[in-house]
Amino acid sequence: MKYPCRLDKYLSKAKLISRSDAKKLIKSNRLKVNQQLAKNAQLAIKQDDSVFLDDQLLSLQEHCYFMLNKPSGYLSTEAEANHPSALSLITELSNPLHSAGRLDVDTTGLLLLTNDGQWSHRVTSPRANKFKQYRVDLADAIGEQELQQLRDGLMLRGEDKPTKPALVEYINATQIVLQISEGRYHQVKRMLAAVGNKVVGLHREKIGDIGIDASLKPGEYRALRAEEISCF
Ligand code: URA
């Protein structure tokens, strides 16, 4: 951030909100700069100024972190001809965000988005060895033998190393909750194909200790909390 900077810009960066929302907050007389009520969005903020919102001292967080409930039909990468990018759902910031890990276009659920490359590297690094949890809807009923194969690890077509042991919870004949600690290409779909089944619905619920917020409808997002960011 370059100083001096306008109060509305400072506020939008500190609270990860849009400039227009920042202006509204300033108009509602909730800002103080160095103990003085600040009503002017253009007020120049210097590096050693203290900016308070409702008596809470603000600080600038240059990195931002979000969880998104990815809807089906969106790519977790850049947009392509037929599909928009999930990144376009985060409307408030001009910061270039990227996703920490990928989901297929038809997979829904937890997608982590950030502009902190080191953090996303830690999220996706195989060395982190964190489980990712998926709710999986299946075309055909699954039996105990197939569940055991998923748990033990199995060979995927075209690969020479078996998958690492997975955690599998049986929900009903056509739904399981699967936790895997790797991130191979289309891994869940290929694991189920390897036991002769087919995935018809895939929803990511958790990455490590970060679970999707149940209040987020498809397409909605929220900033991660400090304790979630520090999971990685
Ligand atoms: N495994 C898949 O097959 N697809 C996803 O989107 C995520 C994991």
Side-chain angles (χ1 to χ4, degrees):
M1 168 76 89
K2 279 202 188 128
Y3 292 96
C5 93
R6 289 169 52 122
L7 177 59
D8 55 351
K9 185 172 177 189
Y10 184 96
L11 184 56
S12 79
K13 291 237 182 250
K15 296 298 291 176
L16 304 178
I17 57 175
S18 66
R19 285 284 271 274
S20 60
D21 283 345
K23 283 183 179 142
K24 280 185 209 148
L25 276 180
I26 296 165
K27 274 201 184 133
S28 64
N29 292 342
R30 292 172 60 190
L31 269 292
K32 280 185 192 158
V33 177
N34 305 330
Q35 311 302 331
Q36 298 278 327
L37 188 65
K39 293 181 169 188
N40 181 359
Q42 294 177 29
L43 183 71
I45 303 298
K46 297 182 288 318
Q47 191 152 14
D48 55 358
D49 283 339
S50 301
V51 182
F52 293 84
L53 171 65
D54 297 334
D55 297 325
Q56 176 207 358
L57 178 63
L58 300 182
S59 65
L60 281 187
Q61 188 187 16
E62 298 291 345
H63 286 137
C64 46
Y65 309 84
F66 297 98
M67 67 161 69
L68 167 75
N69 184 358
K70 181 184 141 347
S72 184
Y74 283 78
L75 295 169
S76 53
T77 51
E78 303 286 295
E80 279 171 15
N82 296 324
H83 296 290
S85 167
L87 301 166
S88 68
L89 294 165
I90 312 275
T91 53
E92 294 167 41
L93 289 162
S94 53
N95 282 329
L97 297 173
H98 60 270
S99 64
R102 292 187 174 190
L103 288 179
D104 295 337
V105 68
D106 55 351
T107 303
T108 58
L110 180 61
L111 191 62
L112 298 175
L113 301 164
T114 183
N115 57 0
D116 181 347
Q118 290 185 351
W119 187 81
S120 57
H121 183 70
R122 289 198 293 278
V123 172
T124 53
S125 164
R127 272 195 274 147
N129 210 27
K130 297 276 187 187
F131 278 95
K132 287 165 285 246
Q133 178 174 313
Y134 297 88
R135 189 164 291 264
V136 190
D137 289 310
L138 300 166
D140 301 310
I142 191 158
E144 189 47 48
Q145 200 184 334
E146 289 78 35
L147 294 173
Q148 199 53 47
Q149 283 178 273
L150 297 172
R151 290 188 180 112
D152 291 344
L154 41 73
M155 291 303 281
L156 297 178
R157 189 195 273 247
E159 297 201 8
D160 54 9
K161 259 199 204 150
T163 54
K164 288 193 179 162
L167 302 172
V168 188
E169 187 187 350
Y170 177 90
I171 306 295
N172 60 47
T174 57
Q175 192 180 80
I176 58 171
V177 172
L178 176 66
Q179 294 188 57
I180 54 174
S181 60
E182 303 167 285
R184 302 194 203 181
Y185 184 64
H186 295 323
Q187 181 162 343
V188 175
K189 291 175 184 167
R190 290 166 69 214
M191 285 174 76
L192 272 301
V195 296
N197 214 313
K198 186 172 187 303
V199 172
V200 292
L202 188 55
H203 182 79
R204 183 155 65 194
E205 299 181 325
K206 236 173 158 192
I207 300 176
D209 290 329
I210 306 181
I212 190 151
D213 196 320
S215 67
L216 292 177
K217 299 193 186 79
E220 289 185 346
Y221 64 92
R222 70 155 169 82
L224 290 189
R225 303 194 182 97
E227 66 269 21
E228 292 169 326
I229 298 166
S230 62
C231 288
F232 290 98

